[in-house]
Amino acid sequence: MELVVARIGRAHGIKGEVTVEVRTDEPELRLSPGAVLKTEPAAAGPLTIETGRVHSGRLMLRFAGVKDRTGAEALRNILLIAEVDPAELPEEEDEYYDHQLMDLDVVLEDGTEIGRITEISHLPSQDLFIVERPDGSEVMIPFVEEIVAEIDLEEQRCVITPPPGLIDEREAVIASTRDEAPARDEDSGDDA
């Protein structure tokens, strides 16, 4: 099975190094020196990682055969793809590979069907499940523990506890910190 593990960013310096947008929770495993990665588009690869380092919080890679800035710039926006055994599981208990989550049925705790995960969007702040509803519409579910209560791979389902308004705008509840009745101002200065 093939997994996208990074996207190549801009060139860094003049010796062929590039920044990469990491798309794996295991960069030390997938993006280490010596790793041979397929690419998208396929004509750009395969690429072999020669060196890797972290600079100012960003991962920098240099690939075999890429020795200057021009070569590095030519790689910009190419996706790096690792070959992964489908039976392989992430090291951490509450981590999942995208292929494990795709096509899971999404339900509420009471069993109400919401839809099916059709895509996973990896954003800088969090991951999002793109869920296709039975009527063909889509809803985005943040993959955070406050909302995703359970992932059951055996039952092929994802149980969620969404806040009001996340699933259906008609369910939205407007919360107010004010009481229904107007508050009395005890310091109004009226001493009658």
Side-chain angles (χ1 to χ4, degrees):
M1 162 161 287
E2 296 179 345
L3 297 177
V4 174
V5 293
R7 183 183 63 81
I8 298 175
R10 62 180 111 169
H12 180 78
I14 61 171
K15 297 183 178 180
E17 246 183 349
V18 295
T19 62
V20 293
E21 174 190 310
V22 177
R23 295 190 178 175
T24 175
D25 289 337
E26 302 169 319
E28 65 285 342
L29 178 65
R30 309 281 178 222
L31 300 170
S32 60
V36 178
L37 302 168
K38 293 181 179 181
T39 60
E40 178 62 43
L47 293 173
T48 302
I49 298 175
E50 196 169 89
T51 64
R53 68 185 179 101
V54 176
H55 174 72
S56 298
R58 296 211 58 148
L59 181 60
M60 308 285 179
L61 297 178
R62 182 176 298 127
F63 299 99
V66 180
K67 300 296 180 195
D68 59 19
R69 186 174 185 87
T70 303
E73 281 294 340
L75 298 176
R76 191 169 188 166
N77 292 323
I78 290 175
L79 296 177
L80 299 174
I81 302 167
E83 188 67 37
V84 177
D85 180 350
E88 182 181 327
L89 298 175
E91 293 176 4
E92 297 295 321
E93 184 179 324
D94 289 338
E95 290 183 0
Y96 304 93
Y97 291 130
D98 286 5
H99 71 273
Q100 294 175 295
L101 301 172
M102 292 298 292
D103 294 322
L104 291 184
D105 292 324
V106 179
V107 297
L108 298 178
E109 285 183 309
D110 67 5
T112 303
E113 179 186 355
I114 300 302
R116 181 178 54 84
I117 298 173
T118 57
E119 185 181 335
I120 300 166
S121 181
H122 299 281
L123 303 176
S125 60
Q126 67 193 15
D127 295 336
L128 287 176
F129 292 154
I130 310 301
V131 177
E132 184 177 312
R133 312 246 358 223
D135 66 4
S137 66
E138 290 184 337
V139 63
M140 292 183 275
I141 309 289
F143 186 18
V144 294
E145 66 181 87
E146 293 84 13
I147 297 173
V148 178
E150 177 186 1
I151 300 285
D152 187 339
L153 296 178
E154 244 178 64
E155 295 292 322
Q156 287 290 291
R157 69 183 189 139
C158 169
V159 179
I160 62 170
T161 57
L166 181 66
I167 301 301
D168 190 346
E169 292 170 7
R170 290 171 288 167
E171 295 174 2
V173 175
I174 298 173
S176 175
T177 57
R178 299 182 190 174
D179 295 326
E180 291 291 323
R184 263 188 14 194
D185 187 359
E186 295 179 17
D187 295 326
S188 65
D190 292 334
D191 294 328

